[in-house]
Amino acid sequence: VQLVESGGGLVQSGGSLRLSCAASGFTFDDYAIAWFRQAPGKEREGVSCLSQRDDSTHYADSVKGRFTISLEVAKNTVYLQMNNLEPEDTAIYYCAVGDPWTIGIMNTYLDQGDYDIWGQGTQVTVSS
């Protein structure tokens, strides 16, 4: 059971990146899948979530309108399309999965505590 992120890199302010999170050993069916990020010296924060329980999506205020989460079932891969990137988006980005029922009931879509399986992270650096 594993999550592997990819797609990070260095981009100029205003640019775009698409992160991928591929699952092995399980499928994303019936999970809540989320992206988190951690900048140097800061706590890890939730960025976006896609809940398979009700097909809902959730975004942090700081990325609304710029980031889009999506799932490609055939490839068992979740994407985070990031547009109009800002230096403040610089961080290590992680994907994670958790039980969508617990997360939905508790409304903890962007809270890391209810996520059980994590990837190793991918670095995103946005230059000004």
Side-chain angles (χ1 to χ4, degrees):
V1 174
Q2 192 176 11
L3 294 171
V4 179
E5 301 97 332
S6 61
L10 173 64
V11 64
Q12 289 188 334
S13 181
S16 298
L17 283 173
R18 188 178 76 162
L19 304 183
S20 300
C21 173
S24 60
F26 72 103
T27 66
F28 283 122
D29 295 347
D30 299 323
Y31 277 101
I33 312 111
W35 286 94
F36 293 83
R37 66 186 182 186
Q38 187 167 19
K42 295 187 178 181
E43 294 187 355
R44 189 156 53 187
E45 63 175 352
V47 174
S48 182
C49 170
L50 169 63
S51 175
Q52 294 284 69
R53 181 177 72 90
D54 56 6
D55 290 328
S56 64
T57 57
H58 308 265
Y59 296 93
D61 289 342
S62 60
V63 306
K64 280 181 182 176
R66 301 189 297 123
F67 291 10
T68 303
I69 190 170
S70 62
L71 168 64
E72 186 170 356
V73 174
K75 293 187 176 182
N76 205 29
T77 298
V78 169
Y79 301 101
L80 185 69
Q81 178 66 44
M82 306 186 297
N83 298 328
N84 194 21
L85 283 160
E86 304 168 351
E88 293 73 23
D89 297 316
T90 295
I92 300 174
Y93 284 71
Y94 302 88
C95 66
V97 297
D99 175 61
W101 294 96
T102 299
I103 290 169
I105 291 171
M106 300 301 292
N107 194 23
T108 53
Y109 295 100
L110 300 182
D111 294 341
Q112 60 179 319
D114 284 327
Y115 288 85
D116 308 303
I117 303 171
W118 290 79
Q120 84 289 347
T122 185
Q123 176 72 48
V124 171
T125 303
V126 184
S127 63
S128 57

